[in-house]
Amino acid sequence: MAGQGLMNPYFGSTASSLTSNLVDQIERYRLGITHSPMAMQHTIPGFHGDFIKGPHLPPGFPMNTKPDPRIKVRLENENLWNQFDKFCTEMIITKLGRRMFPTVKISITGLEPSTKYFVLMDIIPADDSRYKFQSKEWVVAGKAEPHLPGRLYIHPDSPASGAQWMRHPVSFQKVKLTNNNLDQQGHIVLNSMHKFQPRIHIVAANDILSLHWGIYNSFTFSQTQFLAVTAYQNDRITQLKINNNPFAKGFRENGQLRSKKRAGGTSPPACEITSSSPEKTPSEECCVDKRKRPNSVGSSHDIEEMDDRPGSSMSVEKDLVDPDEKVDIEGPATPASFLRPVRSSPSPFLPSTRPPVKSEGIDQSAIVSSLVPSVTSPLPSTDSSLKLLTPPVTSSSGSTGNIPILPHDPGLLSSHQHCLTSYGGPVPPNSAPMLYPHIYYGHIVHPAVYLGRTHPLPLPPLPSPHSTSSVLDKAARDMYGYPYLRHHAPHPPSLLAGPPRPIPMHGYSYALQHQVPANL
DNA sequence: TCGGCTCCCACGTTTGAAAGGA
DNA sequence: ATCCTTTCAAACGTGGGAGCCG
C-alpha cells in the first residue's frame, strides 16, 4: 500500500491532508472566488443525449465557454432502467451508504480524443414533493423537505483523455447514497421518500482545480429518476432488484429457502414481473468464469463483458497505449501528477490558461469543514505546482488581490451578468455580482435567487484584501445557511415560464472518494 | 397505532494474497 | 526468475425481518 502522500487525493483510500487542501481549494473557488462553470442542460428524451441550446446562453457569449454540442451520451443499461422506471424506481438509502442499482452506466461519444475530461455525477431533487406509498402506488404526501447541498461524485477514473472515456462504457456503480446528513465518507446525501434525478456532467479539465471554470456538459435521463427509501415499498421493485442484482442472488429461487425457513414457508412467489425479454443480468453476462479476474490473460475482453458486474469500474486502464496517459489512469495518481500541467494540446473547449492566485491569508477552514469535515490544515505554501494551476486574482476594479472575485475575461463578465440579470434584476454598478454564481437548471443565478429570496441579497461592498474573511463567511452563510437546513427556494418565474423541469439546483460540495478504484 | 428508520442476519459476489505449475 | 492460473478467505453488498422511535 502506498503511503498516504502517494494516494490520489480524490481516488485514494484515505483523506490525507493534501486531500483536504485540495477540497479546501476547490471550495474556495466554488464559493465564488472565481466564476462557476457554466452548465448547460442536455435533456435526454430518448436514446441519446440531445444537446439543447439553452435560452440562457446570451449572444456574444465567448466561444470557448459554450458546451460542446458534439458530445453525446447514451444510457447503456437503458432497458434495465426502463423496467424499473415502469414501477417507479426505488433506491435504498442507509446511514452507512448504499450503492445504486441499477447503476448509471453511460457511453460517451464526441469527445476530443487527446483532451482530458472529468466525468461527474450529482443527484438533484426531481420535484418539490414528498411521497408516500399508499394502495400500492406512490402518491404525493406533502411538500419536500429541504435538500442539503448536493455532492458531486467525481468518477474515479477522472481525469482521463476523451479517447479513454469513449473506449468503454462508464459506470457509476461506486456511487453510494445515504440519508446521514453528517456523512463524512463523501456519499451523496438524500432525503427518504423524495424523488431524485441523477445527472451526468462532462467537463474538459486537466485537473481538479480547473473544474471550476470548465464548461459543464450536463445530461439527464428521465428513466433514471428514483425515489429514495429506507426500505422497499413496492414488491415489484424488490423482485426486479433481486432478479437483476447479482449481490441479491441469495434471494432468488434458491436463496428464498432462507426466507421460507425464516417465514415458515411463506416465501413470496418467484418474480411476477419478469420481463418477457429480460435484459441479461450482470451475473448472467459473466457467468462463463466468474473467477477469472480482469488482470488475467485476455482481460480486456472479459472486462468489456463483465463491466456491469459489481465492483468493476471503467476499464480504460487495461489497454493503454500511451504511457503518459497511464499516469493518470492506471494507478492512484500522486498529488504531483494530479496537479502538474498537462502537455496535451489545448482543446478549443478548454478555458484559457489562467495566472496563479495567492491563497495565503484566507481562512476558510470553517466554511469548508462544514462540507468536508476532514479539512483541517492549510495548503503548504511550498507547493509551487499547485500555484501554477490556480485561477486568476482579479477584482472588479481590476486590481490584484488575494481573492479573484470576477472572471478574468471581460466577455465572461458580461455574459454572467446577462444571466444574473435575467433572474435577480439588474446588477447594481460597483457591486460584486459574480461573487457567488450558482447553477440552476443550467443557469447561473445569484445566490439570493437560489436561496429563495424574492430579491437579490443586499450586495456586499467590493471586497478588499482586508475584508476577505468576512466576505467568504458571508458567502458560506448565504450558500448553506446556519442552521444548515433551510427551506427550499421557490422557482424563479423565468424558470417556471419555460418547459416543465422542476429540478431545483443546489450548491455543490465535493465528495471525497475513499475507495480505491476497482482493478487497481 | 403506524410509518419510517436502524440494526443484524444469512447468503452471494468480489477481491487480493498465497500457493503451485509452466 | 518470471508469469500465469488456481485456491481460499476476508471484505463487501444484498434484501428481509425484528425492534425501536416519534
Side-chain angles (χ1 to χ4, degrees), chain A residues 59-353:
Chain A
F61 201 84
M63 191 59 190
N64 68 345
T65 61
K66 287 182 182 175
D68 189 341
R70 296 171 300 175
I71 298 177
K72 304 282 185 194
V73 170
R74 190 173 80 94
L75 186 61
E76 275 289 304
N77 47 356
E78 190 194 24
N79 288 343
L80 188 57
W81 276 104
N82 285 340
Q83 286 184 52
F84 280 86
D85 190 46
K86 215 186 308 178
F87 304 109
C88 193
T89 313
E90 298 171 22
M91 294 287 177
I92 291 283
I93 55 175
T94 67
K95 198 175 177 181
L96 297 176
R98 194 80 141 190
R99 286 186 175 183
M100 292 175 69
F101 189 87
T103 55
V104 175
K105 185 179 172 187
I106 59 171
S107 57
I108 310 171
T109 56
L111 301 178
E112 289 280 331
S114 59
T115 301
K116 297 242 173 177
Y117 294 88
F118 278 73
V119 177
L120 319 164
M121 187 173 105
D122 67 352
I123 297 177
I124 57 177
D127 57 32
D128 228 3
S129 302
R130 181 189 175 88
Y131 290 81
K132 64 177 177 182
F133 193 71
Q134 199 172 52
S135 307
K136 295 186 175 180
E137 63 177 359
W138 287 99
V139 295
V140 173
K143 193 167 167 54
E145 297 286 318
H147 183 60
L148 289 175
R151 282 177 168 171
L152 198 54
Y153 176 86
I154 302 175
H155 192 282
D157 291 317
S158 302
S161 70
Q164 289 165 347
W165 286 120
M166 293 187 290
R167 197 169 296 156
H168 299 283
V170 180
S171 174
F172 286 87
Q173 66 197 353
K174 299 277 185 182
V175 173
K176 282 192 173 181
L177 313 177
T178 181
N179 55 352
N180 183 9
N181 293 341
L182 304 177
D183 172 76
Q184 298 183 16
Q185 307 301 310
H187 302 147
I188 295 178
V189 183
L190 303 177
N191 286 328
S192 179
M193 314 305 274
H194 288 64
K195 191 181 277 186
F196 294 94
Q197 169 73 63
R199 292 192 310 180
I200 304 297
H201 310 280
I202 300 171
V203 189
N206 283 335
D207 55 78
I208 194 95
L209 300 179
S210 305
L211 270 181
H212 283 261
W213 54 89
I215 308 307
Y216 277 54
N217 298 272
S218 302
F219 301 85
T220 59
F221 298 89
S222 60
Q223 60 266 61
T224 58
Q225 278 192 9
F226 64 86
L227 273 143
V229 296
T230 55
Y232 288 124
Q233 307 291 315
N234 190 341
D235 294 340
R236 298 180 164 195
I237 292 296
T238 307
Q239 280 303 324
L240 272 177
K241 297 247 183 184
I242 289 173
N243 290 340
N244 292 283
N245 190 339
F247 278 113
K249 220 171 187 175
F251 301 97
R252 294 180 193 170
E253 200 149 352
N254 292 339
Q256 284 174 352
L257 292 174
R258 177 178 145 250
S259 302
K260 285 179 184 171
K261 198 164 52 187
R262 276 195 174 190
T266 56
S267 140
C271 174
E272 46 189 36
I273 346 165
T274 38
S275 163
S276 55
S277 58
E279 186 170 293
K280 212 199 259 186
T281 66
S283 57
E284 287 165 346
E285 285 178 355
C286 58
C287 65
V288 176
D289 184 359
K290 289 172 188 168
R291 305 200 70 102
K292 192 177 285 184
R293 284 197 297 276
N295 55 359
S296 302
V297 172
S299 59
S300 61
H301 172 71
D302 293 332
I303 286 168
E304 242 173 306
E305 287 192 344
M306 298 163 70
D307 199 58
D308 211 14
R309 67 184 181 161
S312 72
S313 175
M314 186 183 85
S315 43
V316 294
E317 67 273 17
K318 293 308 164 196
D319 47 358
L320 291 168
V321 179
D322 182 359
D324 281 341
E325 293 176 340
K326 217 171 179 177
V327 174
D328 289 318
I329 301 300
E330 187 152 31
T334 64
S337 72
F338 206 44
L339 296 169
R340 78 170 195 280
V342 178
R343 286 186 288 118
S344 58
S345 57
S347 156
F349 300 97
L350 268 179
S352 55
T353 310

Side-chain angles (χ1 to χ4, degrees), chain A residues 366-410:
Chain A
I367 298 171
V368 178
S369 61
S370 70
L371 300 166
V372 184
S374 58
V375 172
T376 50
S377 56
L379 187 74
S381 57
T382 55
D383 191 346
S384 58
S385 61
L386 179 61
K387 287 182 181 177
L388 288 174
L389 293 165
T390 48
V393 183
T394 318
S395 73
S396 62
S397 60
S399 62
T400 299
N402 283 344
I403 317 174
I405 59 168
L406 286 175
H408 188 61
D409 184 344

